[in-house]
Amino acid sequence: QVQLVESGGGLVQPGGSLRLSCVASASIGVMAWYRQAPGKQRDSVASITSGGSTNYADSVKGRFTISRDNAKNTMYLQMNSLKPEDTAVYYCNAKWSPTSVRNYWGQGTQVTVSS
């Protein structure tokens, strides 16, 4: 069992920045951020492998940057130029490999972009 703990959410004005963190209880291969807005499905935001390969949703490319510190089992999401449509609960996700079926989830952290 892998436990994931997110932090860093909050209220920010449009155009502002936030950095989310996710600490894993073990060294795990693939980590990702998902988000879910009220009444919508949970969507992938960005992912990163232990080797540093990244993928981003088109809606966040150029604004968000995913990174990780393998020594600390920690993943980050730097979010810049935030928009109201980025408002959602952001979830940390992890799995042992890209082909693993089992996923682990954090409890989520709220990000609200509003003036």
Side-chain angles (χ1 to χ4, degrees), residues 12-76:
V12 64
Q13 293 186 342
S17 298
L18 279 176
R19 189 175 84 152
L20 305 182
S21 299
C22 172
V23 180
S25 61
S27 176
I28 192 163
V30 182
M31 300 185 77
W33 290 99
Y34 284 71
R35 66 186 181 186
Q36 187 168 21
K40 295 189 177 181
Q41 66 181 21
R42 189 175 297 188
D43 292 325
S44 175
V45 175
S47 64
I48 186 167
T49 67
S50 57
S53 295
T54 60
N55 276 294
Y56 294 92
D58 288 343
S59 60
V60 306
K61 282 181 181 177
R63 301 188 298 122
F64 291 9
T65 302
I66 191 171
S67 61
R68 63 189 289 172
D69 183 336
N70 291 332
K72 297 181 179 179
N73 295 336
T74 301
M75 173 181 65
Y76 305 98

